Amino acid sequence: MRAQGIYLNVSSRNDDLPQLIEEYSEQFNLSKANTIAEILRAFPKPLAYNHRVLEQENRPFGRLFSNAV
């Protein structure tokens, strides 16, 4: 049985990512793989929040104010 692996290839435009991963890894006291997993698991929460904010910003004013004519 082979071990499964995921490899992260970082382009030159994102050359700061390995250092960021290292810093978060030390801060969370996790391995690099577990640090990436924690970040990915947390990602949907801010994404959903941003979606709700954008929906509210795009509503017509009549719906925001119930007494609007």
Side-chain angles (χ1 to χ4, degrees):
M1 184 167 131
R2 293 184 347 178
Q4 291 182 345
I6 297 176
Y7 300 91
L8 181 64
N9 187 5
V10 179
S11 72
S12 59
R13 291 184 309 198
N14 298 316
D15 62 351
D16 60 330
L17 285 182
Q19 181 61 34
L20 284 173
I21 294 169
E22 182 72 32
E23 290 172 9
Y24 281 126
S25 179
E26 291 174 3
Q27 182 179 351
F28 297 154
N29 197 26
L30 296 171
S31 68
K32 291 178 185 175
N34 287 338
T35 299
I36 296 294
E38 287 296 317
I39 291 169
L40 291 175
R41 285 187 185 107
F43 181 73
K45 295 173 187 173
L47 191 64
Y49 173 77
N50 286 341
H51 184 67
R52 283 195 311 265
V53 169
L54 287 174
E55 282 180 346
Q56 290 178 354
E57 288 176 353
N58 291 331
R59 277 196 221 163
F61 285 111
R63 292 185 185 174
L64 291 176
F65 302 104
S66 60
N67 60 351
V69 179

